Amino acid sequence: MAKPKTEFSVNQTIVYPSQGVGKIIDVFKREFKGEMVYHYKIYIEVSDMNVIVPVDNAKLLGIRAIVSKAEAKKALESISDDYEPPTSDWKLRYQQNLDLLKKGTVGDIAAIVRCLYHRSKVKELPILERKLYENAKTLLENEIAEAYGITPKEVEVMLHAKLEPLGLKIEKKQTFTEDEDDEDEFEEDTSSSKDNDDDDED
């Protein structure tokens, strides 16, 4: 039986929000909830793992094609745009950025990087936010690299060139009213973060 027409094809590079840039390595049929349905097999390079996703669920999960070079450039340029500083309530800030990561547009990912870099220049980020920042930064670098046809390392240099002036600007103008919540939650996160250490093991 011929494979159905799908939004993504074998060998196409895609973005899987919260997971990273991946490549469709197969489209195949197998049982799902008692029915034989088609699935994507996606290789996620950053975590070196394969993910199986029902074709019909891909859109719900936010899986999308790599953006154009023009869209990637716009996201990169947005890093140095002026914007309102993030809230000092780390729980609220974390949830807002987590929601953006789940939406997964390249503009959303750039906004997370800008927000958390901005905050890190004012006060050290709690562990969960540091992980979120690193994940978003890696995803942004990898997608822009694909769109530009260059390496993630080259994009990292470009991103640093956008972030460094922002950091200097923030250090000169400390505008936050600090609270005590970050320190308490930072210590709590140190113990709870161990729960995620084995998530990628088969």
Side-chain angles (χ1 to χ4, degrees):
M1 180 186 293
K3 290 181 180 177
K5 186 176 180 181
T6 57
E7 183 176 0
F8 308 115
S9 55
V10 174
N11 292 325
Q12 182 175 352
T13 303
I14 53 87
V15 173
Y16 189 155
S18 303
Q19 298 290 336
V21 171
K23 180 174 282 189
I24 306 291
I25 59 175
D26 195 13
V27 180
F28 65 98
K29 201 172 187 181
R30 79 171 188 184
E31 187 175 349
F32 179 67
K33 294 185 177 179
E35 296 182 15
M36 296 302 290
V37 299
Y38 281 98
H39 290 70
Y40 292 120
K41 185 175 184 179
I42 306 169
Y43 175 66
I44 309 292
E45 184 173 2
V46 70
S47 55
D48 189 27
M49 68 177 184
N50 292 321
V51 180
I52 308 295
V53 176
V55 167
D56 291 342
N57 286 4
K59 199 166 194 176
L60 293 173
L61 293 170
I63 295 173
R64 59 174 176 80
I66 296 290
V67 295
S68 66
K69 186 174 180 179
E71 289 175 288
K73 182 178 180 182
K74 184 178 178 182
L76 187 61
E77 294 295 329
S78 73
I79 293 291
S80 53
D81 287 348
D82 287 333
Y83 79 115
E84 287 296 318
T87 174
S88 60
D89 180 341
W90 92 267
K91 289 181 179 179
L92 177 59
R93 191 172 64 232
Y94 178 77
Q95 189 57 55
Q96 289 172 340
N97 284 319
L98 192 61
D99 290 342
L100 285 179
L101 188 67
K102 288 175 182 176
K103 283 173 61 181
T105 71
V106 70
D108 290 334
I109 297 164
I112 296 169
V113 171
R114 181 179 61 181
C115 170
L116 294 184
Y117 179 84
H118 191 294
R119 180 62 188 179
S120 73
K121 287 297 179 180
V122 176
K123 190 173 185 180
E124 185 176 8
L125 297 174
I127 288 175
L128 286 179
E129 281 199 302
R130 286 212 309 269
K131 288 181 177 179
L132 182 59
Y133 171 74
E134 291 300 331
N135 287 342
K137 182 170 173 285
T138 297
L139 181 52
L140 184 64
E141 288 167 355
N142 287 346
E143 179 164 14
I144 292 176
E146 287 287 340
Y148 272 66
I150 59 179
T151 68
K153 278 291 182 187
E154 290 174 292
V155 178
E156 186 177 18
V157 172
M158 295 163 66
L159 191 56
H160 180 71
K162 296 290 182 185
L163 290 171
E164 188 175 29
L166 177 62
L168 292 172
K169 186 176 177 183
I170 295 164
E171 286 169 358
K172 284 183 179 179
K173 186 180 179 183
Q174 301 277 319
T175 58
F176 286 95
T177 301
E178 297 300 342
D179 50 43
E180 299 299 324
D181 292 344
D182 279 7
E183 295 301 328
D184 294 337
E185 295 300 335
F186 183 90
E187 291 177 5
E188 288 177 16
D189 289 343
T190 303
S191 58
S192 64
S193 64
K194 293 178 182 177
D195 296 339
N196 298 322
D197 289 348
D198 297 326
D199 283 354
D200 292 339
E201 290 186 7
D202 294 328

